Amino acid sequence: MINLNWAKPDGELLLWKQALLIASAIAVGLALAYFPLSWCLIGLVTIILITLTTIDPLVGLGVALVLGPTKPLTDYFVPELPLDLGQLALIVTLASWLAHAVRRRRPGIPYSPLTLPVLIFIGAAGLSLPGALSIGYALKELIKWVEILLVIWIILDHEEKRRWPLVLGSLLLSAALQAGIGVWQFGLRGEGPEHFLILGDRFYRAYGTFEQPNPYGGFIGLILPIAVALSLGALMYWRGPLRAAWQARRHGRDLIQAIIHYRLLPLLGSIVLGGLLFAALIMSWSRGAWMGFGVAMLALLLALPRRTWAGAALAGGAMLFGMLALRFNLLPSAISSRLTGFTELVQVFDVRGVDINPANYAVLERLAHWQAAEEMARYHLLVGVGLGNYEPVYPAYALLNWPQPLGHAHNIYLNLLAETGIIGLLAYTVLWCSILWQTWLATRRAEGWQRLLAAGLLGAWVHLSVHQLVDKLYVANLHLHIGAMLGILSTLSLTNKEKYIPSERHNRLHDLS
């Protein structure tokens, strides 16, 4: 008879451990023998995720954010996988979150100021489903927005534990990994896709695991304003004590110790991260990402000072400097020509009579898809052709020289107008205005590094809004990162809501008392 007394584990417990190890080895061997390697990989990842998320669902969410951008890579090399690793991590995280809620006997929906705007958009987009040519495409796109909402709720449900900075760290880690891959692809690997060659065929456009430079640049540009804001926060935090140490006229050795003591490593780390992301952004050679980042920096300057007029002056001065730099060729010629080389073509509204050549092909291709989206909206103005159905219905609206669909219209606003009609586009506008307003309020109400984080989020939303004039970035699981950033924004909004009372309102309350 086996002794189950765990206080005496010497012989029998060791035997059980050995038996468990042998059984695990046999199970792994059988799995490798009878199942494809991809299925074994997904099973192993599932086991690891279940183990991690039993500790904290936010850990699983962090894994989903890191693995999410690998979707295009896994779709290309392992197309037989039913789910990419990012979606698998999210499913396990959601199951763990629900299990934690049931165990705590606190099931419910956490409050977020963005819940209603997101639900309004989901409802407006749902109106287009009855007329959709492909319900599968429509549901796939609708699920993205449901997942955005669920990610927001997961982060808010753990607000009282103050664990949401773990999500922020996962966002930065994901961007750092992608930036490192992009730098390697640009100049260190020495080979790559021929059509990505740039700068005299000496370098390759960076594309990370996205398999395309433009969404890669969009992802880097989405996180970069946050990294810049945190770098400024670390610099401001470190500068004050250093000035005090200098004014105290300490000896050189004491001053060096003060520099190290007052968190120099976080400052250096944030600067290195920002520099790495900026280099990856440039190496993506994505015009849309560059333009988005430039306007994002203006938004960051606008939000940094407490006084709005000071921020407006900073942003205006920076914009004037940028215009002068372009006007007098102060930027490197390759970058300035990349930014300005397409301005003549975007004035063409009908590309059917334009001669196609290698220099204008990429721009004309986008314009052709814009025209196709306009035609879809023309015949389906109210509710569109169906959410996510741009690609299935494209052949019916394609121009003669552009028969191949790109998956979307390369303009989120035209894409939404074509797919969800004027109702969906208005709902999306309401959602985005709500996000911008909540972020602006957070920059006014929060304190310390949280206020700078809110300013970085404002830059991220502005980047997304501008870049999506020439692209659609709800791809490659980037909606998970957007949902995580919206969850962080909701946390900042709720945490600092009661801390801030405008001075005029405070004076009125004082007078009444």
Side-chain angles (χ1 to χ4, degrees), residues 142-225:
L142 197 63
I143 287 173
K144 292 181 182 180
W145 288 96
V146 174
E147 289 179 346
I148 287 175
L149 195 56
L150 290 174
V151 170
I152 294 174
W153 291 346
I154 290 174
I155 296 173
L156 286 176
D157 196 38
H158 289 73
E159 177 198 356
E160 67 277 5
K161 296 183 179 180
R162 301 292 181 182
R163 298 295 302 277
W164 62 266
L166 176 64
V167 180
L168 176 62
S170 300
L171 286 169
L172 297 176
L173 175 61
S174 177
L177 292 174
Q178 291 295 326
I181 295 173
V183 171
W184 172 69
Q185 292 168 335
F186 177 79
L188 300 179
R189 182 174 57 174
E191 59 180 1
E194 184 177 353
H195 56 288
F196 288 170
L197 281 168
I198 55 173
L199 299 176
D201 294 344
R202 295 166 52 199
F203 300 98
Y204 294 88
R205 296 179 67 180
Y207 55 91
T209 61
F210 288 76
E211 297 300 291
Q212 290 292 334
N214 290 319
Y216 170 78
F219 172 62
I220 297 297
L222 186 68
I223 308 298
L224 182 53

Side-chain angles (χ1 to χ4, degrees), residues 13-31:
L13 183 57
L14 179 61
L15 180 61
W16 277 104
K17 288 182 177 179
Q18 292 175 346
L20 181 62
L21 182 62
I22 293 173
S24 300
I26 293 174
V28 171
L30 291 174

Side-chain angles (χ1 to χ4, degrees), residues 354-409:
V354 180
D355 292 332
I356 303 172
N357 56 63
N360 64 16
Y361 181 88
V363 176
L364 292 181
E365 186 179 38
R366 278 173 168 76
L367 293 176
H369 281 73
W370 290 8
Q371 283 187 245
E374 291 171 356
E375 288 298 303
M376 295 179 195
R378 177 185 173 189
Y379 290 99
H380 304 273
L381 182 60
L382 195 59
V383 295
V385 299
L387 181 66
N389 271 244
Y390 178 88
E391 182 176 355
V393 304
Y394 177 80
Y397 298 90
L399 275 65
L400 181 62
N401 293 325
W402 312 96
Q404 297 298 325
L406 298 177
H408 51 81

Side-chain angles (χ1 to χ4, degrees), residues 93-109:
T93 299
L94 290 173
S96 175
W97 173 55
L98 292 174
H100 276 69
V102 172
R103 187 180 63 187
R104 297 195 314 263
R105 297 181 180 180
R106 290 179 53 192
I109 298 176

Side-chain angles (χ1 to χ4, degrees), residues 240-484:
L242 179 62
R243 181 190 301 171
W246 177 263
Q247 292 176 350
R249 301 182 186 280
R250 296 181 179 179
H251 297 292
R253 181 178 179 182
D254 295 335
L255 185 60
I256 294 175
Q257 291 178 350
I259 292 174
I260 298 175
H261 176 71
Y262 290 117
R263 300 187 181 182
L264 179 61
L265 290 181
L267 173 63
L268 294 178
S270 59
I271 292 176
V272 169
L273 175 61
L276 178 64
L277 295 182
F278 182 74
L281 182 74
I282 297 298
M283 293 173 184
S284 71
W285 217 244
S286 171
R287 278 185 291 237
W290 292 356
M291 293 187 296
F293 175 70
V295 184
M297 289 301 96
L298 296 180
L300 185 62
L301 291 175
L302 176 65
L304 280 178
R306 282 289 186 183
R307 301 180 183 275
T308 305
W309 65 265
L314 279 175
M319 183 171 63
L320 179 62
F321 176 79
M323 295 172 62
L324 291 176
L326 283 175
R327 175 66 179 83
F328 294 102
N329 298 320
L330 300 180
L331 296 176
S333 58
I335 294 179
S336 61
S337 62
R338 178 72 175 165
L339 286 172
T340 59
F342 69 101
T343 53
E344 294 182 1
L345 291 175
V346 297
Q347 299 175 10
V348 178
F349 294 99
D350 191 344
V351 301
R352 287 172 290 191
V354 180
D355 292 332
I356 303 172
N357 56 63
N360 64 16
Y361 181 88
V363 176
L364 292 181
E365 186 179 38
R366 278 173 168 76
L367 293 176
H369 281 73
W370 290 8
Q371 283 187 245
E374 291 171 356
E375 288 298 303
M376 295 179 195
R378 177 185 173 189
Y379 290 99
H380 304 273
L381 182 60
L382 195 59
V383 295
V385 299
L387 181 66
N389 271 244
Y390 178 88
E391 182 176 355
V393 304
Y394 177 80
Y397 298 90
L399 275 65
L400 181 62
N401 293 325
W402 312 96
Q404 297 298 325
L406 298 177
H408 51 81
H410 275 273
N411 181 305
I412 188 61
Y413 310 104
L414 287 176
N415 199 92
L416 285 172
L417 181 62
E419 292 184 349
T420 62
I422 193 68
I423 295 177
L425 182 59
L426 287 176
Y428 184 81
T429 303
V430 170
L431 168 62
W432 215 242
C433 288
S434 301
I435 292 172
L436 292 173
W437 175 244
Q438 290 295 329
T439 311
W440 178 257
L441 289 180
T443 64
R444 304 298 95 184
R445 296 174 176 175
E447 300 290 342
W449 74 274
Q450 291 189 9
R451 189 175 76 84
L452 292 168
L453 174 60
L457 287 172
L458 181 65
W461 307 139
V462 171
H463 164 84
L464 195 63
S465 302
V466 173
H467 189 174
Q468 293 201 117
L469 287 169
V470 293
D471 216 329
K472 179 188 175 186
L473 296 180
Y474 298 110
V475 296
N477 284 323
L478 288 193
H479 65 284
L480 300 183
H481 299 79
I482 294 171

